[in-house]
Amino acid sequence: MKITKPKSLTHFAGSLNPKVTRNKIGILSIDVQPQTVANICRIVTGARDSGIRIWDCNKVIHADEDALLCTLRRHDGSVNCVRWSPDGKCFASASDDETVRIWYLAQSEPSKSFGEVNMEMWTCTNRIMHGHVKDVLDLAWSADGTYVTSCGVDNTVRVWNPQRC
């Protein structure tokens, strides 16, 4: 068995210029897309920098430096948990900002934000779930993808229907 930590699978703080020293940010959660969609396997990571990153799984495995597909920055706190839905078409994220968000691949063109080029566009419009009063720590999808459950520091468990949020 070979265990490796790909160099490209990292969250950084500071300058986007590769020649400038950057501080690594702690990755708090990782999940692999359960099945290939459109011939691509994705990895999603959540980190202390309030960011979510989506990676091309095949490029990560082959140590390709261009493995990053997208950086998302919609949370206002650390992203404690990220989980793909059972069908792999969307994923949920949980944060210290007391929200759970559902992300879908958008049909729009990739964009450039905060100096980062996104190869894919993901959106969480109308998919923000409020209810926890403290940090949200973990998530789980029901087997059929109908519900998402979350738990947090507020000692509550919430069951969400993302289609109604």
Side-chain angles (χ1 to χ4, degrees):
M1 175 194 300
K2 180 179 179 184
I3 299 176
T4 184
K5 194 273 184 198
K7 291 179 184 178
S8 63
L9 199 65
T10 306
H11 286 240
F12 284 106
S15 173
L16 296 174
N17 184 339
K19 295 179 181 178
V20 175
T21 302
R22 300 180 291 176
N23 296 323
K24 292 181 181 178
I25 300 295
I27 295 175
L28 302 175
S29 183
I30 188 169
D31 199 24
V32 177
Q33 196 173 29
Q35 57 182 327
T36 58
V37 177
N39 297 323
I40 188 169
C41 173
R42 296 176 182 93
I43 296 172
V44 62
T45 56
R48 287 183 31 237
D49 65 351
S50 305
I52 298 168
R53 291 192 173 189
I54 300 172
W55 311 85
D56 182 323
C57 188
N58 295 319
K59 289 183 177 181
V60 168
I61 291 168
H62 294 98
D64 189 327
E65 293 297 321
D66 295 327
L68 182 62
L69 296 173
C70 186
T71 300
L72 306 168
R73 299 200 183 276
R74 296 285 301 273
H75 280 290
D76 293 324
S78 295
V79 178
N80 298 317
C81 188
V82 287
R83 295 287 179 262
W84 287 101
S85 63
D87 65 5
K89 293 180 180 176
C90 64
F91 68 91
S93 61
S95 172
D96 284 354
D97 67 7
E98 304 169 4
T99 66
V100 173
R101 297 173 188 247
I102 307 297
W103 301 83
Y104 291 90
L105 185 61
Q107 299 303 316
S108 59
E109 291 294 316
S111 71
K112 184 176 181 179
S113 62
F114 303 109
E116 296 175 330
V117 177
N118 289 324
M119 303 307 292
E120 296 183 336
M121 287 297 299
W122 290 78
T123 183
C124 68
T125 306
N126 298 325
R127 303 287 188 235
I128 303 170
M129 293 167 276
H130 299 273
H132 288 280
V133 295
K134 292 190 178 180
D135 306 354
V136 186
L137 299 178
D138 202 10
L139 297 167
W141 287 86
S142 62
D144 64 0
T146 303
Y147 298 102
V148 177
T149 56
S150 60
C151 65
V153 175
D154 59 2
N155 293 319
T156 64
V157 172
R158 304 269 180 186
V159 180
W160 310 94
N161 180 341
Q163 300 306 317
R164 294 187 181 177
C165 297

